[in-house]
Amino acid sequence: MTSRWVPLESSPDILNAWSKKAGLAGRSRFEDVYGLSDDLLGMVSQPVKAVILLFPISPESEARRKQEDEEILAKGQPGLDPTILWIKQTISNACGTMGLIHAIANSSVTLSPGSALSKFIEQCEGKTPEERAKLLETTPLFADIHAQAASSGQSAVPTDLDTNLHFTCFVAAPSSRGDDRADSSMRLVELDGRRTGPIDRGESTDLLKDAAKVVQDVYMGGSPSLSFSLIALCEP
């Protein structure tokens, strides 16, 4: 990690403020997901374009991450859409901004022409994940937007920047496999800058429900922590 930012709070107000300053336009907005039951998921505005999860890092989650990454490196993920924009995280505590960029850049949402996001996404085309990370490091506007959002939360800005909380993101992307799947087949893809690349979480027919199941089974299953937060990018 080359530098360290102040962590973002997991709050729709914070994520919406960041997004509007960065260039998210139209009616798109972030909303809280209050629970994983069908009734609570049904309260979220539709359609859902992306889901952002804040979760606690633990020895168990780190062991799972290492095992999954080793399997992905060994077996590959041939069904993933090659046009997915994924960035390697090289800035400590930047996972909030990383999650926001991953969510917005890989969703069919409207961006303001000439905005920080539209320019950044355009500049990322054709670059490696590491080159995109370097581009993020050298784009002061994102550091400024992140700092403004981090300082506008309800909690005091911490003096100790070490944190065991991390953001990841889920989007839906078309399958790239040339098999017998229908052309409309979609995959649930997890985007986390700490990983080896995008993670195929299986077929997706309902982004919010599919992401909630992964959160329940992979992240929350067996965890005693209550430090989870789920926020959806919606375009009502």
Side-chain angles (χ1 to χ4, degrees), residues 19-173:
S19 301
K20 295 305 179 185
K21 289 177 182 175
L24 183 63
R27 300 179 63 195
S28 301
R29 66 172 186 253
F30 287 93
E31 296 182 7
D32 271 320
V33 180
Y34 292 106
L36 303 181
S37 68
D38 286 343
D39 287 344
L40 292 175
L41 294 177
M43 295 173 61
V44 180
S45 300
Q46 294 289 334
V48 170
K49 299 291 188 175
V51 177
I52 292 179
L53 168 69
L54 180 71
F55 68 94
I57 295 174
S58 66
E60 292 77 16
S61 70
E62 288 296 272
R64 181 186 67 246
R65 176 173 72 93
K66 181 179 179 182
Q67 179 180 357
E68 281 187 341
D69 284 350
E70 289 175 349
E71 291 176 356
I72 290 171
L73 287 173
K75 300 177 182 178
Q77 297 181 105
L80 279 181
D81 181 357
T83 66
I84 292 172
L85 191 149
W86 178 76
I87 308 165
K88 188 70 176 175
Q89 183 176 342
T90 56
I91 304 170
S92 182
N93 294 341
C95 56
T97 282
M98 298 286 295
L100 284 160
I101 293 175
H102 281 147
I104 295 170
N106 292 287
S107 304
S108 54
V109 293
T110 303
L111 299 179
S112 299
S115 65
L117 273 172
S118 62
K119 289 179 179 178
F120 181 78
I121 292 170
E122 183 178 346
Q123 291 171 344
C124 282
E125 292 182 7
K127 289 184 170 58
T128 67
E130 291 75 17
E131 289 171 337
R132 294 167 181 167
K134 181 61 66 175
L135 182 62
L136 182 62
E137 293 173 20
T138 56
T139 305
L141 185 57
F142 279 112
D144 294 341
I145 293 172
H146 182 105
Q148 291 173 28
S151 64
S152 64
Q154 296 182 359
S155 303
V157 175
T159 54
D160 182 0
L161 298 183
D162 289 333
T163 178
N164 69 338
L165 299 175
H166 185 70
F167 286 95
T168 189
C169 166
F170 299 91
V171 299

